[in-house]
Amino acid sequence: MAQCLGMLHCCRSTPTTTADGDMALKSSHLSLLLISLCSTLLLCSACPSLCSCMYQGGSNDTGLRFVECKDPAIVMVPADVPSDTFKLRLQKTSVVRVPKASFSSLGRLLYLWLTYNSITTLHPRSFANLSALHELRLDGNLLSVFPWDALRDMPRLRTLGLHNNRLTRIPVHAARYLGNITYLDLSSNRLTTLPNEVIAGLPFYPPFDPAQPQRRVVLGLQDNLWVCDCRLALLLELSRTTESYLVLLDRYIVCSGPKDFSGVPFQSVELPHCVKPSVLTSTTKITTPLGSNVMVRCEATGFPTPALIWIKSAGPNDSNTACCRDINATALKEKLPRRLPSFLQNSPQVGLRWSVISLNGISYGDAGEYRCRAHNMAGSSEASISVDVVRVVAKKSAFKTPAQKLRNGSPLPPPSRNGPSVSNASPGRYMNAPKASRDKMKREKMKRNKMSALQMQ
């Protein structure tokens, strides 16, 4: 900076009364350029209000800039932090929220400490443009939720400190962004469990590429409200393994629940692994007559023993026109999906539960898709059964009366003057006539034949 001011003084002292006008013009332009350069340097070197700036490892020209802001009067993240800052510590201030892109001008930042403030809210893009950041510490704030997808803006991050906040859960999707984290401090929060997916997402597991070395991961979990059930089985196993690449900051971790394990150290607890439910049904489709009684059954296995519910997820198939002409308006207006309020269920042994729903006097409105859903600590699964209701149609007789044949378009033979003539009648009608009529017709024929024989004599 002193060199800049000296050059500026030199330019200003250059005589401008020379006969050469071009020389004077060039000197004026050079002065303006130096003034602009010096203004820029002054701006870059300015320290934010209520903050202190220092250099580590050298003088102002060769050292690395470290900015520290720890005045309780600071209520917002400083916007004028010099762009060449490599370490920023914002500590014991009154900052409550960190807005979007609060540090976007600090592309060289390696260490960011936002510790022991009053921060309750982080924007998902609070740390945009911090691609070089190695360490982020948020210890001693009031965070109940951390935006894990914000880690995408910090691909080189290795250390993440969330000690002494108010976190109640770590979501499963956090595992997607932990592949480079080698130090994760979750101690002194309000956590009750830690998903196995999150543990598996840390880079201490053997890498898929044998050329990459296996890394040791430090994990802080102490002083939480751990519920020691099957969800923590993997963590407990790893914590006991002496050759594990997972290192606990404090190995003395105590269970807070359930009641049988309250106050018991992790090292003394034996827990089975959770098993995600699997649902089976006896069939996937049922076709039943209108008015019948139907029982729909499913069973689920898993650990802990799954809980079962039934959901009607879809109504009758619209292509079933016989159904839908008769279905009542109430069934058409049914709000789906809906949970069925009553059904039978039983658990004959640990890890197994079956359930049955009864559809008595089944109607067209009962047709549709039914889902049996099972859930436990390890997850959920379901299976579906389709129920179709069909109309019952009575079988028609093959015999048709003369009136029915007339309705169907089959004409009767014309009557004879002397009564019905068998010869004039069609063989089909004679054979299909009742037996009493056939006998009467035979007697009349024999009587006519006798009369004809007497007349000829």
Side-chain angles (χ1 to χ4, degrees), residues 68-273:
E68 185 175 38
C69 308
K70 54 179 183 179
D71 194 314
I74 298 175
V75 296
M76 297 178 62
V77 176
D80 53 350
V81 178
S83 60
D84 61 343
T85 301
F86 91 102
K87 184 175 183 179
L88 172 61
R89 177 180 288 177
L90 190 67
Q91 182 174 334
K92 297 181 180 179
T93 70
S94 300
V95 173
V96 174
R97 56 187 299 269
V98 181
K100 178 181 179 181
S102 293
F103 314 97
S104 59
S105 63
L106 307 179
R108 303 178 188 177
L109 195 65
L110 297 179
Y111 304 94
L112 177 58
W113 288 24
L114 305 174
T115 54
Y116 297 95
N117 301 286
S118 301
I119 299 174
T120 60
T121 306
L122 297 173
H123 191 278
R125 299 300 310 281
S126 289
F127 310 106
N129 201 36
L130 295 183
S131 58
L133 195 69
H134 281 196
E135 184 173 316
L136 173 62
R137 291 190 177 272
L138 290 155
D139 306 332
N141 284 287
L142 304 175
L143 293 171
S144 59
V145 176
F146 179 78
W148 295 96
D149 51 349
L151 298 180
R152 290 181 296 186
D153 290 323
M154 300 171 282
R156 298 180 183 176
L157 192 70
R158 298 293 182 267
T159 298
L160 177 59
L162 292 167
H163 165 75
N164 194 19
N165 276 276
R166 298 180 177 180
L167 301 177
T168 57
R169 61 183 294 267
I170 307 297
V172 172
H173 77 266
R176 305 174 195 169
Y177 313 109
L178 297 175
N180 293 320
I181 301 297
T182 56
Y183 181 98
L184 177 61
D185 191 356
L186 300 171
S187 60
S188 301
N189 278 277
R190 301 175 182 178
L191 301 173
T192 58
T193 191
L194 192 64
N196 289 336
E197 293 85 353
V198 172
I199 300 171
L202 293 168
F204 68 88
Y205 270 117
F208 293 105
D209 185 0
Q212 295 182 1
Q214 193 171 356
R215 290 180 286 185
R216 194 175 296 273
V217 174
V218 178
L219 188 59
L221 300 175
Q222 68 275 12
D223 300 325
N224 278 285
L225 305 175
W226 299 115
V227 175
C228 293
D229 53 35
C230 66
R231 292 172 293 180
L232 293 179
L234 176 60
L235 177 62
L236 291 178
E237 286 183 4
L238 293 172
S239 68
R240 297 192 189 103
T241 305
T242 56
E243 299 180 358
S244 173
Y245 280 79
L246 178 66
V247 179
L248 296 179
L249 275 177
D250 186 346
R251 297 183 67 86
Y252 187 75
I253 303 174
V254 177
C255 300
S256 295
K259 184 181 295 185
D260 294 342
F261 292 142
S262 180
V264 178
F266 266 26
Q267 305 297 326
S268 304
V269 177
E270 295 289 340
L271 295 175
H273 284 265

